[in-house]
Amino acid sequence: MGEIREAVIRDGKILCPYCHKVNGELTGKEEIHNFRIRCRGSGGRMEHFFMLNVNKEREVKSNG
C-alpha cells in the first residue's frame, strides 16, 4: 500500500482517508499521537490502515 495516510477529521468524526467511513468520534481535547487504526471498512483482501494524530489544543466543532 505504501505510505499510510493521515485520518480526516470532520465535525468531530474520525474518517478513513481512503473510503471515508466513520471510525470513531472525538469528544473534547484528546491528545493522540501516531495511533494506527485498521479501518472498519476493511475486509479480507481489501484491508487498509491510517494514522490518527490529534493535539489537545485542537477544538472539536460539532453541529448541535
Side-chain angles (χ1 to χ4, degrees):
M1 175 183 282
E3 189 175 329
I4 297 179
R5 292 184 188 174
E6 188 73 25
V8 175
I9 299 174
R10 188 175 302 137
D11 294 327
K13 307 246 189 279
I14 302 167
L15 304 175
C16 174
Y18 301 103
C19 67
H20 299 285
K21 285 199 181 259
V22 176
N23 282 271
E25 187 173 339
L26 300 173
T27 58
K29 296 184 178 183
E30 293 90 346
E31 186 168 350
I32 304 168
H33 298 283
N34 299 324
F35 185 59
R36 185 174 177 239
I37 299 174
R38 179 185 180 271
C39 179
R40 54 178 256 160
S42 292
R45 298 180 193 175
M46 300 293 290
E47 189 172 58
H48 53 278
F49 296 86
F50 61 93
M51 296 296 287
L52 176 61
N53 289 297
V54 177
N55 295 329
K56 65 181 173 182
E57 292 87 27
R58 181 191 173 284
E59 291 183 24
V60 176
K61 296 178 183 177
S62 61
N63 297 333

